[in-house]
Amino acid sequence: MNKHRCGWCEGDALYEAYHDGEWGVPVYDDDTLFEFLILETFQAGLSWITILRKRENFKKAFDNFDYKKIAGYQQSKKDQLMEDAGIIRNKLKINATVSNAQAFMKIQDEFGSFSKYIWGFVDGKPIKNKLKNYKEAPANTPLSDTISKDLKKRGFKFVGSTVIYAHMQATGMVNDHEISCFRYNEV
């Protein structure tokens, strides 16, 4: 039996697996939230499938997305990352990942966890939209604008409103599965 999926993922096995198993599932774990923050940062200006195809390379290059290690990266490690053809070699995004890891830990210190901070914007519960077609999903919202501004105020980089809305979708803060998608009522 064929399951109806959101139209954006159809036809690519990697995209479908990501859609079926991860996209839109609420994430309350700081490690996973940071992983998606890194991936969304590098995705800025590129397609998500490009990042998904390089995800394992990113994981290896960035010490399993360990923000404590990343926060301490020195110039030699940044130079090494710039030579790694398995990732997106963008100096500004690499530098932003290091400073974002530092800012991430400051939020943990202030709020107890990044999860408490980020989920506090939606009172801990996902926003469930009712999209008939994935193309109806906004690129950003007033809420993603607010979160973006607050993150920037806290020292984060490459966290524009569109990046933050994509992060909200990926981590289940907002359910943008099409209402006809088999995952809509599962997440």
Side-chain angles (χ1 to χ4, degrees):
M1 184 171 133
N2 285 340
K3 297 177 179 178
H4 177 79
R5 291 181 174 91
C6 298
W8 62 263
C9 72
E10 292 178 334
D12 184 288
L14 183 60
Y15 242 180
E16 288 177 1
Y18 169 70
H19 168 274
D20 294 358
E22 289 185 88
W23 192 72
V25 176
V27 173
Y28 297 95
D29 169 71
D30 274 10
D31 293 339
T32 307
L33 288 167
F34 184 74
E35 174 183 350
F36 276 110
L37 198 58
I38 287 179
L39 296 174
E40 295 293 351
T41 296
F42 277 93
Q43 188 266 332
L46 302 169
S47 69
W48 184 242
I49 193 65
T50 299
I51 301 305
L52 277 183
R53 289 187 180 127
K54 293 178 177 278
R55 188 178 191 178
E56 286 305 311
N57 297 336
F58 276 105
K59 189 174 185 176
K60 183 179 175 193
F62 283 95
D63 291 300
N64 204 30
F65 302 114
D66 183 337
Y67 52 85
K68 291 174 186 151
K69 285 184 181 177
I70 294 168
Y73 281 1
Q74 300 300 311
Q75 190 59 50
S76 59
K77 176 64 175 180
K78 294 177 191 177
D79 292 342
Q80 180 186 349
L81 289 166
M82 282 298 294
E83 299 297 319
D84 189 336
I87 66 168
I88 306 300
R89 296 179 286 185
N90 180 303
K91 188 176 186 175
L92 294 175
K93 291 178 181 182
I94 289 169
N95 288 334
T97 298
V98 176
S99 62
N100 287 354
Q102 295 162 354
F104 187 89
M105 292 192 305
K106 286 179 184 167
I107 285 178
Q108 287 178 316
D109 289 343
E110 183 178 344
F111 291 87
S113 72
F114 186 81
S115 180
K116 283 182 189 171
Y117 161 78
I118 200 78
W119 280 93
F121 286 98
V122 292
D123 295 325
K125 298 180 305 244
I127 296 166
K128 194 165 188 170
N129 290 326
K130 292 179 169 56
L131 306 177
K132 290 182 179 159
N133 185 299
Y134 74 95
K135 293 177 182 176
E136 296 172 1
N140 51 54
T141 63
L143 178 58
S144 67
D145 293 346
T146 298
I147 296 170
S148 171
K149 284 178 190 163
D150 196 67
L151 286 168
K152 287 176 183 176
K153 185 178 76 178
R154 295 170 182 280
F156 282 79
K157 299 189 175 28
F158 282 94
V159 290
S161 188
T162 300
V163 167
I164 293 306
Y165 193 74
H167 188 264
M168 292 169 68
Q169 290 174 309
T171 61
M173 289 178 67
V174 61
N175 180 349
D176 273 348
H177 283 280
E178 295 171 357
I179 56 174
S180 60
C181 175
F182 81 99
R183 291 294 282 157
Y184 180 72
N185 287 314
E186 291 182 2
V187 298

